């Protein structure tokens, strides 16, 4: 039997979570290093997955298949395509940075105030460092296996199970830079965590009904078997049945993504979380929703996906413009990033349902590039907030004069967020817009307004926080420390590298996009270009 690389890649962070949680309470530093070690081991395995993956090979590679619950047709089936490989790599890459950035976020020592952060209060003294890092590793394990699962029931289990550690990370390890009292801060964290859980559980319950319905129709949960049967015409699914099942799956994924009007949990969750947990939410966990739209909605229900496309495109457009407009009006730094992410997820979903190769390639690249750009911007924002003890934009000013490295990295993260040419998000956003315009010109034109608004909220944020007179409260603000620079520098390097040379990603994801286009029986629209005949010269054939 071949080495179960995909299983091991998902199991390593899960084992790390258990061992980290078991570290004695007095050994906080040991728990941190242990969590970081397991996250780096997972990254090494993710790199091995990418190396062993052959872009021109079979659709699903490194496959594993074992009987699990044979009476109900449930199997432990794993396999990755190019899209899954890219997102596993993104997840494994970001977790070490999340751990390093949150190195002191769960410490119980009041000495954190000496590093520029707020003083420790009684409401935070219960927080176990071991639990914080164990929960992060557990989320990583569940996200990775979600990208690997090719059995619908197996995917569903981990799609829902990841809500549990995320609930505790949001509610138990919330942001310390809260304007209100300790009691009010705790209430806000609890509200955000419960709202996150209820929204996603509601989507999961509707999806569960659709998963059961799929089993009734298909007789098994295997993605590969169901798609093969549909392609061969041996699985006859009634039109109304397919549409209802599609809606059940799509609703759950739209909540997770999140898509307007199911987005309202995200600003609360990101605003009340620590910056590393906010990155975990929007750069890692939420990608499961958009990934699942490509793999399951389009793969299992191609006709229903085409039927629902007009409505989904409208919802995506609303997300793009609405999220960007609300980001412009925000006074809270973290909530601004949250609404900007809603706008970006609108672009991703737009690219998916444009159903062109450029749009879907762009959407996949957008998932990766948004993860990198949001991680860079949010983590630097977290470093900024920890120094001042406030999330309000109005409490800053002139930071670039006292902390130029912090301001510079904040600017690059912001420019990546607005998709500046030369940085990675530009390539993905350009492909999404080109792919959308090719099939839906009006939709593509309207979506470009999101770019204008992104420039507005990003540059205004930088202007108000980093430029102008130095406020007295930030005059003694220290610049980035070595640990913080080690967190941000690789992310910035990747944003520049993938912006200049995106081929390393497109070569991996394009074959998977071709398979998805084949599932929905779509081809790219032919360009409507009038070609004039060239007159023949001296007896030459006319061109």
């Amino acid at each position: 039997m071949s080495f179960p690389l995909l299983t091991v890649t998902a199991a390593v962070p899960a084992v790390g979570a258990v061992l980290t949680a078991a570290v004695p309470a007095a050994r906080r530093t040991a728990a941190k290093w242990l969590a970081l070690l397991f996250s780096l081991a997972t990254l090494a395995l993710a790199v091995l997955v990418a190396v062993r993956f052959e872009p021109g090979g079979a659709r699903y590679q490194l496959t594993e298949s074992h009987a699990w619950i044979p009476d109900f047709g449930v199997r432990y089936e794993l396999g990755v395509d190019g899209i899954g490989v890219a997102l596993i790599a993104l997840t494994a890459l970001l977790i070490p940075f999340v751990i390093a950035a949150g190195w002191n976020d769960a410490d119980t020592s009041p000495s954190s105030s000496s590093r520029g952060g707020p003083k420790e209060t009684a409401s935070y003294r219960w927080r176990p460092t071991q639990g914080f890092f164990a929960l992060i590793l557990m989320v990583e394990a569940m996200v990775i296996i979600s990208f690997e699962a090719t059995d619908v029931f197996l995917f569903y289990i981990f799609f829902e199970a990841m809500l549990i550690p995320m609930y505790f990370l949001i509610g138990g390890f919330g942001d310390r830079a809260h304007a209100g009292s300790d009691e009010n801060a705790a209430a806000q964290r609890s509200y955000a965590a419960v709202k996150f859980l209820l929204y996603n559980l509601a989507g999961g319950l509707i999806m569960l009904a659709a998963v059961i319905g799929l089993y009734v129709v298909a007789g098994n949960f295997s993605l590969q078997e169901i798609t093969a049967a549909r392609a061969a015409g041996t699985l006859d699914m009634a039109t109304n049945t397919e549409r209802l099942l599609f809606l059940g799956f799509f609703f759950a994924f739209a909540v997770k993504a999140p898509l307007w009007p199911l987005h309202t949990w995200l600003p609360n969750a990101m605003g009340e979380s620590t910056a590393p947990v906010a990155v975990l939410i929007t750069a890692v966990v939420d990608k499961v929703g958009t990934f699942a739209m490509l793999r399951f909605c389009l793969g299992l229900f191609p006709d229903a996906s085409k039927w629902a496309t007009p409505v989904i495109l409208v919802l995506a457009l609303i997300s793009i413009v609405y999220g960007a407009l609300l980001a412009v009006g925000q006074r809270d730094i973290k909530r601004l990033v949250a609404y900007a992410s809603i706008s970006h997820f609108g672009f991703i979903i737009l690219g998916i349902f444009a159903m062109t190769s450029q749009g879907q390639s762009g959407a996949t690249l957008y998932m990766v590039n948004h993860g990198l750009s949001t991680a860079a911007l949010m983590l630097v924002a977290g470093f900024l907030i920890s120094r001042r003890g406030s999330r309000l934009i109005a409490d800053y000013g002139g930071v670039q004069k006292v902390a130029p490295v912090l301001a510079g990295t904040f600017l690059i993260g912001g420019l990546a967020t607005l998709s500046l040419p030369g940085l990675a998000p530009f390539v993905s956003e350009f492909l999404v817009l080109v792919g959308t315009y090719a099939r839906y010109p009006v939709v593509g034109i309207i979506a470009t307004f999101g770019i204008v608004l992104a420039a507005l909220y990003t540059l205004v944020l930088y202007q108000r926080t980093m430029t102008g007179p130095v406020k007295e409260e930030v005059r003694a603000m220290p610049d980035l420390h070595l640990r913080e620079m080690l967190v941000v520098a690789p992310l910035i390097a990747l944003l520049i590298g993938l912006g200049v040379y995106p081929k390393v990603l497109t070569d991996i994801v394009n074959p998977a996009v071709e398979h998805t286009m084949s599932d929905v029986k779509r081809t790219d629209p032919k360009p409507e270009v009038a070609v004039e005949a060239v007159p023949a010269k001296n007896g030459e054939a006319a061109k």
Side-chain angles (χ1 to χ4, degrees):
M1 185 176 64
S2 61
F3 181 71
L5 181 57
L6 297 185
T7 294
V8 173
T9 304
V12 165
V15 173
V18 174
L19 295 179
T20 301
V23 173
R27 304 290 300 276
R28 294 199 304 268
T29 301
K32 297 174 184 179
W33 282 107
L34 185 63
L36 183 59
L37 177 63
F38 272 93
S39 69
L40 291 173
T42 306
L43 176 58
L45 289 168
V47 171
L48 183 58
V49 169
V51 169
R52 291 188 57 184
F53 182 81
E54 299 178 7
R59 179 173 187 177
Y60 295 106
Q61 300 179 32
L62 306 175
T63 56
E64 303 172 31
S65 182
H66 307 281
W68 184 19
I69 312 175
D71 291 342
F72 295 97
V74 180
R75 298 184 62 83
Y76 177 80
E77 285 190 348
L78 304 180
V80 288
D81 58 4
I83 299 170
V85 169
L87 293 176
I88 289 171
L90 172 69
T91 301
L93 175 70
L94 289 181
I95 296 302
F97 298 129
V98 167
I99 291 173
W103 200 253
N104 300 312
D105 283 357
D107 283 351
T108 58
S109 171
S111 63
S112 60
S113 60
S114 66
R115 296 188 294 269
K119 292 184 178 181
E120 199 72 47
T121 58
S123 64
Y124 302 109
R125 289 175 186 160
W126 65 273
R127 308 193 316 174
T129 301
Q130 291 82 345
F132 179 73
F133 293 106
L135 289 169
I136 290 174
L137 289 175
M138 190 57 68
V139 171
E140 179 182 22
M142 293 177 178
V143 169
I144 288 176
I145 202 167
S146 296
F147 292 142
E148 297 172 345
T150 56
D151 182 277
V152 177
F153 191 80
L154 179 67
F155 169 83
Y156 174 78
I157 289 175
F158 290 99
F159 179 80
E160 288 295 280
M162 69 180 70
L163 302 179
I164 299 171
M166 286 306 309
Y167 169 80
F168 288 109
L169 283 170
I170 297 168
F173 301 90
D175 189 10
R176 305 181 187 188
H178 203 283
S181 64
D182 292 341
E183 292 77 11
N184 183 51
Q188 291 296 322
R189 288 196 305 272
S190 178
Y191 172 78
V194 171
K195 189 173 184 179
F196 162 83
L197 187 64
L198 291 179
Y199 266 66
N200 284 275
L201 278 179
L205 288 174
I206 293 174
M207 181 181 171
L208 178 59
V211 168
I212 295 172
L214 179 65
Y215 176 75
V216 172
V217 173
N220 63 78
F221 294 105
S222 174
L223 174 66
Q224 297 183 68
E225 290 184 15
I226 296 173
T227 52
R230 297 219 64 177
T234 57
L235 176 60
D236 185 20
M237 192 179 296
T239 300
N240 289 336
T241 300
E242 181 181 352
R243 291 177 179 179
L244 288 173
L245 295 179
F246 167 84
L247 291 174
F249 277 73
F250 180 80
F251 183 85
F253 303 152
V255 172
K256 184 85 77 179
L259 177 69
W260 184 92
L262 306 171
H263 67 285
T264 59
W265 62 268
L266 184 64
N268 296 100
M270 289 184 65
E272 299 304 325
S273 300
T274 63
V277 173
V279 170
L280 194 63
I281 294 170
T282 189
V284 176
V285 172
D286 287 354
K287 298 300 187 297
V288 179
T290 48
F291 164 81
M293 290 180 188
L294 274 168
R295 173 169 282 191
F296 296 104
C297 285
L298 272 59
L300 294 172
F301 316 109
D303 295 333
S305 297
K306 290 183 283 189
W307 163 75
T309 289
V311 174
I312 294 173
L313 292 180
V314 171
L315 296 179
L317 278 179
I318 295 174
S319 289
I320 291 169
V321 178
Y322 174 82
L325 284 173
L326 288 185
V328 171
Q330 288 303 305
R331 297 182 296 172
D332 183 309
I333 297 174
K334 292 168 74 175
R335 290 179 70 91
L336 185 151
V337 178
Y339 281 110
S341 291
I342 292 170
S343 180
H344 294 149
F345 276 104
F347 277 107
I348 295 172
I349 295 170
L350 188 71
I352 292 172
F353 284 90
M355 295 192 187
T356 60
S357 58
Q358 301 99 324
Q360 292 188 356
S361 293
T364 304
L365 292 181
Y366 215 132
M367 293 184 219
V368 176
N369 295 333
H370 171 262
L372 296 174
S373 62
T374 300
L377 181 61
M378 179 58 83
L379 291 180
V380 177
F383 298 148
L384 176 69
I385 292 168
S386 68
R387 286 160 164 74
R388 174 67 176 83
S390 173
R391 306 195 314 241
L392 298 179
I393 297 172
D395 289 340
Y396 297 89
V399 174
Q400 66 180 10
K401 297 177 182 177
V402 297
V405 177
L406 187 154
T409 53
F410 190 81
L411 177 61
I412 295 174
L415 293 177
T417 299
L418 63 83
S419 299
L420 183 76
L423 298 176
F426 169 76
V427 179
S428 46
E429 195 162 277
F430 177 78
L431 285 173
V432 166
L433 290 173
V434 168
T436 303
Y437 184 85
R439 196 178 295 278
Y440 304 102
V442 175
V443 175
I445 291 170
I446 297 174
T448 57
F449 286 100
I451 302 175
V452 178
L453 293 173
L456 180 60
Y457 63 67
T458 300
L459 296 178
V460 168
L461 172 64
Y462 184 84
Q463 179 190 38
R464 292 178 178 175
T465 56
M466 302 296 165
T467 65
V470 180
K471 290 202 171 184
E472 190 63 33
E473 294 83 359
V474 304
R475 192 171 296 278
M477 180 179 291
D479 212 335
L480 292 183
H481 305 312
L482 177 60
R483 172 180 61 85
E484 296 166 334
M485 287 189 284
L486 290 175
V487 168
V488 178
L491 295 173
I492 291 176
L494 284 169
L495 287 171
I496 296 172
L498 292 176
V500 174
Y501 191 72
K503 187 174 183 294
V504 67
L505 278 179
T506 56
D507 285 349
I508 295 175
V509 304
N510 283 346
V513 168
E514 291 175 6
H515 285 297
T516 304
M517 292 285 289
S518 177
D519 287 340
V520 295
K521 296 180 174 60
R522 286 283 198 181
T523 57
D524 289 333
K526 294 181 179 179
E528 297 179 3
V529 179
V531 180
E532 296 183 2
V534 178
K537 293 182 179 180
N538 299 327
E540 293 179 359
K543 298 181 180 179

